[in-house]
Amino acid sequence: MSDERAERIADFVESLRVEPGSKVRLGRDFDPRDKAGLKKRDGAELLRAGVDMLAEYQERLAAQDTYGVLVCLQALDAGGKDGTIRHVMSGVNPQGVRVSSFKVPSAEELDHDYLWRYAQRLPERGGIAIFNRSHYEEVLVVRVHPELLLRQKLPDRAGGSGEWKRRYREINNWERYLTDNGFKVVKIFLNLSKEEQRTRFLKRLDVPEKNWKFSTADVQERRHWDDYQYAFSKMLSATSTKWAPWYVVPADRKWFARICTAAILAHTLIDIDPRYPEVDDETRKGLRSARRKLEREAPPRRPADPYAARHPSAVRKKRR
Ligand code: ATP
Ligand code: MG
């Protein structure tokens, strides 16, 4: 990866980052329709480049087996979480990625502390975990619908505005702990406009193949639009930290949201810069001896090393 390319990605990603400590007002500070002057037709090429880069870095991340990456995706209904995951992760080895979707908590989940179910789905070292909705629901949907907090069986003191401040602090501390222990936390909010949400809901009604995606509950939830904008603004202000910043991705254009997401992930991996493990002298000796044994097994009229015979220049370069 050239330094120039890495720098270009870093600059782009920087423009999406919520400055830690800043006070966000979503409607004022972020435009869901933004596309950074790009055209859709340039988008396909850029996304492909991003997807290829992710695939390569993921392989190294897995080989190094030291760091893990947690990607939290948040959005309002029809924000495009599913499509973003599908497109951005299309090139990576499925064995290295696990997607978890978080819905209304089960009785068992409600019988534990509120971070419990998310902790069960954290990535392993070398892996990438994607949270389709995340622990941030605990300060979003639960904040917008206070009756959900009552179902969480908390001790008496819970509730009121102190509850959210406490949760922000707890979440920040949890993410700090994860980061210190080698797990990068990447938080992406797909920022959709109210009008684009309306359009996407109507598309789900208009196109028979999309009907299954439509849910009347989503339209009910849309009535709380302003409360959600408020809860998102508060959350972004309180939980964008130096160790785990938030990125606000303009989501009205799906192709642009995908490029942004790929760029944010690529930037995270470039920053980790995972390396294939170095082979020490002892192991190298073992490799040489294994090579000699295998070469001696060559049948008559076959090259000692068929791979090297077919790819002489690649093998010469690697052996240097
Ligand atoms: P899609 O609709 O694209 O399949 P989705 O993420 O919207 O995906 P749904 O099953 O429609 O999935 O909705 C999940 C619901 O669960 C959302 O309304 C979300 O707000 C809710 N939810 C998630 N976490 C919690 C939580 N901790 N407490 C209460 N509700 C939650
Ligand atoms: Mg839904």
Side-chain angles (χ1 to χ4, degrees):
M1 144 86 44
S2 74
D3 286 352
E4 196 195 321
R5 196 163 175 209
E7 233 167 79
R8 270 216 313 275
I9 295 175
D11 285 347
F12 178 60
V13 163
E14 174 81 38
S15 70
L16 306 169
R17 183 183 298 127
V18 175
E19 186 57 31
S22 63
K23 204 161 189 290
V24 175
R25 246 184 38 222
L26 210 46
R28 177 195 64 187
D29 301 336
F30 295 95
D31 176 11
R33 296 195 58 73
D34 189 29
K35 54 183 170 116
L38 288 176
K39 298 222 164 53
K40 188 171 180 179
R41 77 182 120 73
D42 310 323
E45 179 61 30
L46 272 171
L47 182 62
R48 202 165 321 118
V51 166
D52 289 350
M53 198 188 295
L54 284 180
E56 192 210 312
Y57 270 92
Q58 185 218 6
E59 218 176 288
R60 285 201 246 155
L61 185 79
Q64 190 185 40
D65 204 18
T66 303
Y67 293 96
V69 177
L70 169 63
V71 183
C72 302
L73 261 188
Q74 284 293 152
L76 285 173
D77 294 306
K81 291 180 277 100
D82 292 340
T84 302
I85 295 170
R86 201 167 55 242
H87 282 82
V88 172
M89 303 316 280
S90 59
V92 305
N93 178 353
Q95 292 204 68
V97 184
R98 179 164 73 166
V99 183
S100 301
S101 301
F102 295 100
K103 317 262 176 189
V104 178
S106 67
E108 188 194 14
E109 288 168 345
L110 286 172
D111 233 5
H112 291 81
D113 62 279
Y114 72 92
L115 289 176
W116 181 77
R117 66 172 179 163
Y118 308 98
Q120 323 250 316
R121 311 295 295 176
L122 287 172
E124 54 192 20
R125 295 192 195 281
I128 300 177
I130 300 182
F131 282 4
N132 182 347
R133 298 189 190 266
S134 68
H135 48 295
Y136 282 99
E137 289 294 326
E138 304 294 338
V139 292
L140 290 168
V141 68
V142 181
R143 184 168 190 163
V144 170
H145 297 282
E147 67 276 15
L148 294 175
L149 195 61
L150 295 178
R151 291 182 54 210
Q152 294 195 347
K153 307 197 217 173
L154 298 168
D156 281 348
R157 53 159 182 65
S161 71
E163 177 70 19
W164 309 119
K165 283 215 181 80
R166 189 168 59 78
R167 285 195 173 192
Y168 294 145
R169 191 188 72 230
E170 287 159 353
I171 289 173
N172 286 342
N173 287 342
W174 190 54
E175 293 175 355
R176 177 80 207 228
Y177 160 80
L178 292 173
T179 310
D180 285 348
N181 284 282
F183 297 93
K184 286 260 181 190
V185 184
V186 185
K187 306 183 301 204
I188 298 174
F189 168 49
L190 301 177
N191 185 25
L192 188 72
S193 72
K194 195 171 184 187
E195 177 55 10
E196 181 60 22
Q197 189 193 54
R198 190 176 77 90
T199 310
R200 290 186 188 173
F201 282 167
L202 281 166
K203 182 172 177 190
R204 290 176 182 183
L205 293 170
D206 292 339
V207 181
E209 293 76 22
K210 299 245 176 220
N211 282 173
W212 66 273
K213 268 193 156 184
F214 183 81
S215 138
T216 43
D218 289 355
V219 176
Q220 296 271 345
E221 210 52 14
R222 179 177 160 82
R223 292 203 314 227
H224 300 285
W225 182 271
D226 291 342
D227 297 338
Y228 272 107
Q229 297 290 300
Y230 178 78
F232 270 113
S233 299
K234 287 286 186 194
M235 174 203 84
L236 292 167
S237 309
T239 60
S240 196
T241 54
K242 270 206 289 275
W243 55 92
W246 270 105
Y247 296 93
V248 176
V249 165
D252 274 15
R253 294 177 169 89
K254 288 180 178 171
W255 61 269
F256 187 64
R258 288 164 193 168
I259 293 173
C260 293
T261 306
I264 294 163
L265 292 188
H267 174 69
T268 305
L269 290 166
I270 291 168
D271 204 39
I272 296 176
D273 194 19
R275 306 283 171 108
Y276 289 112
E278 289 277 333
V279 176
D280 60 25
D281 287 349
E282 196 53 34
T283 316
R284 206 179 299 278
K285 238 162 74 194
L287 296 183
R288 271 200 299 270
S289 134
R291 161 190 304 289
R292 280 193 298 271
K293 274 192 203 121
L294 286 166
E295 288 182 346
R296 277 199 298 270
E297 285 178 25
R301 288 184 303 285
R302 288 282 293 156
D305 179 345
Y307 180 80
R310 253 179 295 163
H311 309 274
S313 59
V315 173
R316 222 178 298 127
K317 223 188 304 166
K318 289 255 160 62
R319 277 202 211 154
R320 255 190 296 171

